Amino acid sequence: MKKQNSQKFQCYSKDTQGKLIFMRHGETYFNADKRKKFRKVNIRYIDCKLNQKGIAQARAKQEILNKLSFEKIYVSPFYRALQTLTYSLEKHPNKDNIIAIVNPLIGETSNCINDYILDIKQTKKDFNMNSPIKIDWSLFDEYVKGIKYDENFYYFENFDNFEDGVKDKIYQKLRTIYERNNIEELKIGLTDLAKLRVQYKKRFESLKFLQGRFKKFCESVKNEYKESLGDEDKKILAISHCSYMKVGTDINLYSEEKQYFNSNCYKPKNCEILSYNLLMI
């Protein structure tokens, strides 16, 4: 792995040299909206999809990804990440043999309206084993069995900064709406949740919990591929999100109770690739 100019960046580098590489999803309509306060509660941006620029960004990564051999590929369950996976690997020379694993551990932190899933059942239909890139949902399904939240709201499991009583009451209301298949009413409910997050003035998921998820994922990779960690010719690719990747760029967050990111946390751009040093995590 290439060395960084500053010691604070030892745990990652902006290349594909390491065993584990992350790629952020392409630009969405939410990302393109520069009205930061307004967009956080805009009903149009729930589980937002890629815009045309985001699709072009994902396809532009084909030149890099097509040269790599992947031992395993993971993808976040959010629609924008699954789109990025499909567009970036649609011409990979080994495309017919690629099976991407949906992993809930690498989903984005729920910080605003863009970070709520609208309809996981529809997402599964759109991205299944018949997709251009085969998608395996079994790990995601197994994870959901072990928590008390429905698959469409699995991320409530990560709301460690939210009082359980209030959280469970909101969850039950949203789940009832979802089970009635009333998507328009669900959008309103999720918008209300996003507004509550703004009023709450505190992350529903703390940075400590978020980086704990990052660390747990990396540990699972190290355990599963301990025999081949030294073989950097066979990559492990994870298509994820900005904040999730960001916490992995500063290992000092592990021991801190923080509401905001350190200044030395690197913010990856849309479709930017980062290579992580597993030995430092």
Short mmCIF file of all heavy atoms in Angstrom, two decimals, residues 128-152:
data_model
loop_
_atom_site.label_atom_id
_atom_site.label_comp_id
_atom_site.label_asym_id
_atom_site.label_seq_id
_atom_site.Cartn_x
_atom_site.Cartn_y
_atom_site.Cartn_z
N ASN A 128 -31.98 -8.62 -8.38
CA ASN A 128 -32.03 -10.01 -7.93
C ASN A 128 -31.01 -10.84 -8.71
O ASN A 128 -30.15 -10.31 -9.41
CB ASN A 128 -33.45 -10.58 -8.08
CG ASN A 128 -33.97 -10.45 -9.50
OD1 ASN A 128 -33.21 -10.58 -10.48
ND2 ASN A 128 -35.25 -10.18 -9.64
N MET A 129 -31.12 -12.14 -8.63
CA MET A 129 -30.15 -13.01 -9.29
C MET A 129 -30.25 -12.95 -10.82
O MET A 129 -29.41 -13.48 -11.52
CB MET A 129 -30.32 -14.44 -8.80
CG MET A 129 -29.90 -14.65 -7.35
SD MET A 129 -28.16 -14.24 -7.01
CE MET A 129 -27.34 -15.69 -7.67
N ASN A 130 -31.30 -12.30 -11.33
CA ASN A 130 -31.44 -12.13 -12.78
C ASN A 130 -30.95 -10.77 -13.25
O ASN A 130 -31.10 -10.42 -14.42
CB ASN A 130 -32.92 -12.31 -13.18
CG ASN A 130 -33.40 -13.74 -12.94
OD1 ASN A 130 -32.67 -14.69 -13.20
ND2 ASN A 130 -34.61 -13.87 -12.44
N SER A 131 -30.40 -9.99 -12.32
CA SER A 131 -29.86 -8.67 -12.69
C SER A 131 -28.60 -8.85 -13.52
O SER A 131 -27.99 -9.93 -13.54
CB SER A 131 -29.55 -7.87 -11.42
OG SER A 131 -30.71 -7.67 -10.65
N PRO A 132 -28.18 -7.80 -14.24
CA PRO A 132 -26.93 -7.87 -15.02
C PRO A 132 -25.75 -8.35 -14.18
O PRO A 132 -24.89 -9.09 -14.64
CB PRO A 132 -26.74 -6.43 -15.50
CG PRO A 132 -28.12 -5.87 -15.56
CD PRO A 132 -28.86 -6.50 -14.41
N ILE A 133 -25.69 -7.87 -12.92
CA ILE A 133 -24.75 -8.40 -11.94
C ILE A 133 -25.57 -9.15 -10.90
O ILE A 133 -26.48 -8.59 -10.29
CB ILE A 133 -23.95 -7.27 -11.26
CG1 ILE A 133 -23.14 -6.48 -12.30
CG2 ILE A 133 -23.03 -7.84 -10.19
CD1 ILE A 133 -22.10 -7.30 -13.05
N LYS A 134 -25.27 -10.40 -10.70
CA LYS A 134 -26.08 -11.23 -9.77
C LYS A 134 -25.95 -10.71 -8.34
O LYS A 134 -24.84 -10.44 -7.86
CB LYS A 134 -25.64 -12.68 -9.85
CG LYS A 134 -25.85 -13.32 -11.24
CD LYS A 134 -25.42 -14.77 -11.23
CE LYS A 134 -25.61 -15.41 -12.61
NZ LYS A 134 -24.70 -14.81 -13.62
N ILE A 135 -27.08 -10.59 -7.67
CA ILE A 135 -27.13 -10.06 -6.30
C ILE A 135 -27.62 -11.15 -5.35
O ILE A 135 -28.67 -11.76 -5.58
CB ILE A 135 -28.08 -8.85 -6.20
CG1 ILE A 135 -27.79 -7.82 -7.31
CG2 ILE A 135 -27.98 -8.23 -4.82
CD1 ILE A 135 -26.48 -7.14 -7.20
N ASP A 136 -26.87 -11.38 -4.29
CA ASP A 136 -27.22 -12.38 -3.28
C ASP A 136 -27.68 -11.67 -2.01
O ASP A 136 -26.90 -10.95 -1.37
CB ASP A 136 -26.00 -13.27 -3.00
CG ASP A 136 -26.31 -14.38 -2.00
OD1 ASP A 136 -27.43 -14.41 -1.44
OD2 ASP A 136 -25.42 -15.23 -1.77
N TRP A 137 -28.96 -11.86 -1.63
CA TRP A 137 -29.53 -11.19 -0.47
C TRP A 137 -29.52 -12.07 0.79
O TRP A 137 -30.05 -11.67 1.83
CB TRP A 137 -30.98 -10.80 -0.77
CG TRP A 137 -31.11 -9.65 -1.73
CD1 TRP A 137 -31.14 -9.73 -3.10
CD2 TRP A 137 -31.21 -8.26 -1.41
NE1 TRP A 137 -31.26 -8.48 -3.65
CE2 TRP A 137 -31.31 -7.56 -2.63
CE3 TRP A 137 -31.24 -7.55 -0.20
CZ2 TRP A 137 -31.43 -6.17 -2.69
CZ3 TRP A 137 -31.36 -6.17 -0.26
CH2 TRP A 137 -31.45 -5.49 -1.48
N SER A 138 -28.93 -13.24 0.73
CA SER A 138 -29.05 -14.19 1.84
C SER A 138 -28.40 -13.67 3.13
O SER A 138 -28.93 -13.90 4.22
CB SER A 138 -28.46 -15.55 1.45
OG SER A 138 -27.09 -15.43 1.10
N LEU A 139 -27.27 -12.99 3.04
CA LEU A 139 -26.61 -12.46 4.24
C LEU A 139 -27.48 -11.37 4.87
O LEU A 139 -27.62 -11.32 6.10
CB LEU A 139 -25.23 -11.88 3.88
CG LEU A 139 -24.43 -11.30 5.04
CD1 LEU A 139 -24.07 -12.38 6.04
CD2 LEU A 139 -23.15 -10.62 4.52
N PHE A 140 -28.05 -10.53 4.05
CA PHE A 140 -28.96 -9.49 4.54
C PHE A 140 -30.17 -10.12 5.23
O PHE A 140 -30.55 -9.72 6.34
CB PHE A 140 -29.42 -8.62 3.37
CG PHE A 140 -30.42 -7.56 3.74
CD1 PHE A 140 -30.01 -6.34 4.25
CD2 PHE A 140 -31.77 -7.79 3.56
CE1 PHE A 140 -30.93 -5.36 4.60
CE2 PHE A 140 -32.70 -6.81 3.90
CZ PHE A 140 -32.29 -5.59 4.41
N ASP A 141 -30.76 -11.13 4.60
CA ASP A 141 -31.94 -11.80 5.17
C ASP A 141 -31.62 -12.47 6.49
O ASP A 141 -32.43 -12.45 7.43
CB ASP A 141 -32.48 -12.84 4.18
CG ASP A 141 -33.05 -12.21 2.92
OD1 ASP A 141 -33.39 -11.01 2.95
OD2 ASP A 141 -33.15 -12.92 1.89
N GLU A 142 -30.43 -13.06 6.59
CA GLU A 142 -30.02 -13.72 7.83
C GLU A 142 -29.81 -12.70 8.94
O GLU A 142 -30.17 -12.95 10.10
CB GLU A 142 -28.73 -14.52 7.59
CG GLU A 142 -28.36 -15.47 8.70
CD GLU A 142 -29.38 -16.58 8.91
OE1 GLU A 142 -30.04 -16.98 7.93
OE2 GLU A 142 -29.53 -17.03 10.07
N TYR A 143 -29.26 -11.56 8.60
CA TYR A 143 -29.04 -10.50 9.58
C TYR A 143 -30.37 -10.02 10.15
O TYR A 143 -30.52 -9.85 11.37
CB TYR A 143 -28.30 -9.33 8.93
CG TYR A 143 -28.17 -8.11 9.82
CD1 TYR A 143 -27.13 -8.00 10.74
CD2 TYR A 143 -29.09 -7.07 9.73
CE1 TYR A 143 -27.01 -6.89 11.56
CE2 TYR A 143 -28.98 -5.95 10.55
CZ TYR A 143 -27.94 -5.86 11.46
OH TYR A 143 -27.83 -4.77 12.27
N VAL A 144 -31.34 -9.81 9.29
CA VAL A 144 -32.64 -9.29 9.72
C VAL A 144 -33.33 -10.27 10.67
O VAL A 144 -34.05 -9.85 11.60
CB VAL A 144 -33.53 -9.00 8.49
CG1 VAL A 144 -34.95 -8.64 8.92
CG2 VAL A 144 -32.94 -7.86 7.68
N LYS A 145 -33.11 -11.55 10.51
CA LYS A 145 -33.71 -12.54 11.40
C LYS A 145 -33.24 -12.37 12.85
O LYS A 145 -33.94 -12.74 13.78
CB LYS A 145 -33.36 -13.96 10.93
CG LYS A 145 -34.04 -14.39 9.65
CD LYS A 145 -33.61 -15.80 9.27
CE LYS A 145 -34.24 -16.24 7.96
NZ LYS A 145 -33.77 -17.60 7.55
N GLY A 146 -32.06 -11.81 13.02
CA GLY A 146 -31.47 -11.69 14.35
C GLY A 146 -31.76 -10.38 15.06
O GLY A 146 -31.26 -10.16 16.16
N ILE A 147 -32.53 -9.49 14.44
CA ILE A 147 -32.87 -8.22 15.07
C ILE A 147 -34.38 -8.09 15.17
O ILE A 147 -35.13 -8.88 14.59
CB ILE A 147 -32.28 -7.02 14.29
CG1 ILE A 147 -32.90 -6.92 12.89
CG2 ILE A 147 -30.78 -7.12 14.22
CD1 ILE A 147 -32.44 -5.71 12.10
N LYS A 148 -34.86 -7.09 15.89
CA LYS A 148 -36.31 -6.98 16.11
C LYS A 148 -37.00 -6.06 15.10
O LYS A 148 -38.20 -5.84 15.19
CB LYS A 148 -36.60 -6.47 17.52
CG LYS A 148 -36.12 -5.07 17.84
CD LYS A 148 -36.53 -4.69 19.26
CE LYS A 148 -36.11 -3.29 19.63
NZ LYS A 148 -36.55 -2.92 21.00
N TYR A 149 -36.23 -5.58 14.12
CA TYR A 149 -36.81 -4.66 13.15
C TYR A 149 -37.00 -5.32 11.79
O TYR A 149 -36.19 -6.14 11.36
CB TYR A 149 -35.93 -3.41 13.02
CG TYR A 149 -35.75 -2.70 14.33
CD1 TYR A 149 -34.57 -2.81 15.05
CD2 TYR A 149 -36.79 -1.96 14.88
CE1 TYR A 149 -34.42 -2.18 16.27
CE2 TYR A 149 -36.65 -1.32 16.11
CZ TYR A 149 -35.47 -1.44 16.80
OH TYR A 149 -35.33 -0.83 18.02
N ASP A 150 -38.08 -4.96 11.12
CA ASP A 150 -38.40 -5.45 9.79
C ASP A 150 -37.28 -5.08 8.81
O ASP A 150 -36.57 -4.09 9.00
CB ASP A 150 -39.72 -4.82 9.34
CG ASP A 150 -40.13 -5.25 7.95
OD1 ASP A 150 -40.79 -6.29 7.82
OD2 ASP A 150 -39.78 -4.53 7.00
N GLU A 151 -37.12 -5.86 7.76
CA GLU A 151 -36.04 -5.64 6.81
C GLU A 151 -36.07 -4.24 6.20
O GLU A 151 -35.02 -3.66 5.88
CB GLU A 151 -36.06 -6.69 5.70
CG GLU A 151 -37.32 -6.68 4.84
CD GLU A 151 -37.27 -7.69 3.72
OE1 GLU A 151 -36.25 -8.42 3.60
OE2 GLU A 151 -38.24 -7.75 2.94
N ASN A 152 -37.25 -3.67 6.03
CA ASN A 152 -37.34 -2.35 5.42
C ASN A 152 -36.84 -1.26 6.36
O ASN A 152 -36.48 -0.16 5.92
CB ASN A 152 -38.79 -2.03 5.03
CG ASN A 152 -38.88 -1.01 3.92
OD1 ASN A 152 -38.51 -1.29 2.78
ND2 ASN A 152 -39.36 0.19 4.23
#
